[in-house]
């Protein structure tokens, strides 16, 4: 496998102590949990201020060699705001004003840019860079948030606890509203074992704005406990649960502590969930 690599070799490594912790928690070791070092390609963020002739670039929808449809920046005018911001011909648009748009309709992306008024922030990557992340089966935005406009801060609900005891692990109730590209997160599980966790949260997505974090463990889906459910059943509950989607989660590192101390999670989610419209989810 190493010999087949050409210019770049990407490896996932872990120290032995951390591996023991992951194994004890029953969590797989996957790239979504990793910190990155020396990746050959990274997205970049462009801050553009509109000039008298506009921003000075053309956004074109093209099909890449991989078969993926991409929204590519072309025909950058000399001395335009686009060129001044560092835009290069052939870059792919990943996000507009911090919102992921790779899977959005072309007209929708153009509309978002125009609705930004006199200023817009674009997150982009080269075609070679996008192909690199496609090989890794990850979003280029997974490890990148530098200079992307931050979303509203998410307040973590506090749980009451007996006086004199340490604060217990705090579950978080996240309410997600479906957008054009879905809910903006991926699920993961340990093969042939119950339990599901958040494997990836797309930057700028409704999942991130709701407060989901990678490797959160799912406790409830729309009020139904899923700690002992298998992956397929959890997916069925999420895809058939309507919108908004209400997820009760807890940080993966705190989950074992929560289980071992047998603390009860009760945020009133066992009450009947209001009827929700039935949508088709991706």
């Amino acid at each position: 496998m190493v010999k087949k690599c050409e210019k770049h070799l990407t490896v996932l490594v872990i120290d032995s102590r951390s591996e023991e912790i992951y194994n004890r928690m029953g969590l797989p070791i996957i790239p979504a949990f990793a910190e990155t070092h020396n990746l050959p390609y990274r997205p970049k963020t462009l801050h553009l201020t509109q000039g008298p002739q506009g921003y000075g670039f053309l956004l074109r929808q093209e099909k890449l060699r991989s078969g993926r449809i991409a929204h590519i920046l072309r025909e950058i005018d000399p001395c335009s705001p686009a060129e001044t911001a560092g835009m290069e011909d052939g870059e792919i648009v990943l996000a507009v004003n911090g919102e992921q748009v790779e899977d959005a309709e072309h007209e929708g992306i153009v509309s978002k840019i125009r609705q930004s008024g006199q200023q817009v922030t674009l997150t982009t990557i080269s075609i070679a860079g996008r192909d690199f992340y496609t090989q890794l089966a990850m979003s280029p935005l997974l490890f990148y948030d530098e200079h992307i406009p931050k979303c509203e801060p998410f307040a973590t609900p506090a749980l009451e606890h007996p006086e004199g005891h340490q604060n217990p692990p705090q579950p978080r109730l996240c309410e997600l509203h479906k957008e054009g590209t879905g809910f903006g997160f991926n699920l993961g599980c340990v093969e042939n074992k119950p339990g599901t966790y958040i494997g990836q949260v797309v930057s700028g997505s409704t999942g991130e704005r709701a407060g989901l974090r990678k490797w959160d463990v799912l406790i409830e889906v729309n009020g139904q406990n899923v700690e002992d459910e298998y992956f397929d059943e959890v997916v069925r509950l999420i895809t058939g649960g309507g919108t908004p989607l209400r997820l009760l989660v807890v940080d993966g590192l705190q989950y074992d502590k929560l289980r071992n101390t047998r603390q009860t999670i009760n945020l009133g989610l066992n009450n009947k969930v209001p009827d929700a419209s039935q949508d088709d989810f991706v």
Side-chain angles (χ1 to χ4, degrees):
M1 291 177 66
V2 172
K3 289 181 178 179
K4 288 181 180 179
C5 298
E6 297 178 357
K7 295 182 180 180
H8 303 292
L9 171 66
T10 305
V11 295
L12 178 67
V13 299
I14 189 169
D15 64 271
S16 57
R17 182 179 179 185
S18 297
E19 183 183 26
E20 291 176 3
I21 295 173
Y22 272 72
N23 291 336
R24 188 167 63 247
M25 294 176 64
L27 290 173
I29 302 168
I30 58 177
F33 297 167
E35 294 182 355
T36 61
H37 299 274
N38 200 36
L39 290 180
Y41 302 100
R42 297 188 70 88
K44 69 179 183 182
T45 298
L46 308 174
H47 301 284
L48 285 73
T49 300
Q50 196 174 62
Q53 305 300 320
Y55 292 116
F57 68 90
L58 176 68
L59 183 64
R60 179 178 295 163
Q61 181 172 289
E62 300 180 16
K63 192 172 185 178
L64 305 180
R65 286 182 300 178
S66 62
R68 187 184 187 92
I69 299 299
H71 309 281
I72 300 182
L73 302 169
R74 297 293 190 189
E75 299 183 22
I76 301 166
D77 295 337
C79 302
S80 66
E83 184 183 65
T84 301
M87 185 181 294
E88 299 179 40
D89 185 81
E91 290 182 314
I92 297 174
V93 177
L94 301 175
V96 176
N97 295 329
E99 181 179 347
Q100 194 267 355
V101 296
E102 267 200 290
D103 299 322
E105 295 291 334
H106 186 76
E107 294 77 10
I109 300 176
V110 174
S111 178
K112 287 181 184 295
I113 294 174
R114 289 175 176 169
Q115 291 174 5
S116 295
Q118 299 298 311
Q119 293 183 325
V120 68
T121 299
L122 303 178
T123 307
T124 67
I125 195 170
S126 66
I127 293 177
R130 189 63 188 91
D131 289 342
F132 170 78
Y133 285 96
T134 298
Q135 289 180 331
L136 297 181
M138 293 189 302
S139 166
L141 297 174
L142 181 60
F143 303 112
Y144 184 77
D145 59 5
E146 184 181 4
H147 304 313
I148 295 180
K150 298 298 180 182
C151 304
E152 294 181 5
F154 178 78
T156 302
L159 295 183
E160 294 182 359
H161 55 278
E163 187 173 351
H165 289 257
Q166 290 184 338
N167 289 341
Q170 295 184 336
R172 305 190 314 280
L173 176 59
C174 305
E175 182 171 299
L176 292 76
H177 296 265
K178 183 191 174 189
E179 296 178 339
T181 56
F183 290 113
F185 68 90
N186 291 339
L187 292 174
C189 68
V190 179
E191 189 174 4
N192 298 324
K193 289 186 178 181
T196 312
Y197 61 90
I198 305 297
Q200 176 180 348
V201 182
V202 177
S203 178
S205 68
T206 181
E208 183 186 63
R209 294 195 298 274
L212 287 182
R213 304 166 189 161
K214 62 182 180 181
W215 69 316
D216 280 342
V217 175
L218 264 68
I219 305 298
E220 293 184 0
V221 174
N222 287 339
Q224 180 172 335
N225 189 281
V226 295
E227 291 179 271
D228 296 321
E229 299 289 351
Y230 285 85
F231 181 83
D232 290 345
E233 175 62 14
V234 176
V235 172
R236 186 190 69 79
L237 291 172
I238 290 175
T239 57
T243 183
L245 173 67
R246 298 178 179 90
L247 302 179
L248 184 66
V249 300
V250 69
D251 181 86
L253 290 174
Q254 297 180 322
Y255 182 65
D256 265 3
K257 179 180 178 182
L258 193 69
R259 297 271 289 195
N260 293 339
T261 55
R262 297 184 179 276
Q263 295 176 16
T264 301
I265 301 172
N266 183 7
L267 292 180
L269 293 183
N270 291 322
N271 298 328
K272 182 179 179 182
V273 177
D275 291 336
S277 60
Q278 297 297 312
D279 293 340
D280 294 324
F281 293 91
V282 178

